[in-house]
Amino acid sequence: MSAADFQATADKVRTMSPPSQEDQLELYSLYKQATVGDCNTAAPGALDVKGKAKWSAWNGKKGMSQDDAKQKYVTKAKSLGV
């Protein structure tokens, strides 16, 4: 998986019609894992429902290599028609 392929897919995802919330969280968590690595922020407070969902999704990818996350991101995006 080249960095250019990953970036091209990420660019296409930004312009597509929003998928389901579940698919959005999956794409978000894989993107963050691919670009940043393991979750490195504290969990948001209980009142930040959206932030907590995003944090939980990303934190659930802990231990996944950045290369694996890139591949899974591209695969997920393609399954959504990107």
Side-chain angles (χ1 to χ4, degrees):
M1 166 73 37
S2 75
D5 290 340
F6 173 74
Q7 191 58 51
T9 301
D11 291 342
K12 289 178 186 174
V13 165
R14 285 187 195 98
T15 62
M16 68 185 242
S17 298
S20 71
Q21 187 173 3
E22 182 180 316
D23 288 336
Q24 285 181 28
L25 284 172
E26 182 68 9
L27 286 169
Y28 170 82
S29 63
L30 289 169
Y31 182 84
K32 291 293 279 187
Q33 189 69 23
T35 58
V36 177
D38 287 344
C39 185
N40 58 4
T41 61
L47 297 178
D48 183 1
V49 177
K50 183 177 179 180
K52 183 74 170 172
K54 290 169 71 174
W55 184 89
S56 294
W58 180 19
N59 196 49
K61 305 294 184 216
K62 189 174 277 188
M64 181 185 293
S65 75
Q66 288 181 291
D67 287 336
D68 284 348
K70 286 177 183 177
Q71 183 61 50
K72 289 180 184 210
Y73 179 87
V74 170
T75 300
K76 180 67 176 178
K78 287 182 180 180
S79 77
L80 297 172
V82 169

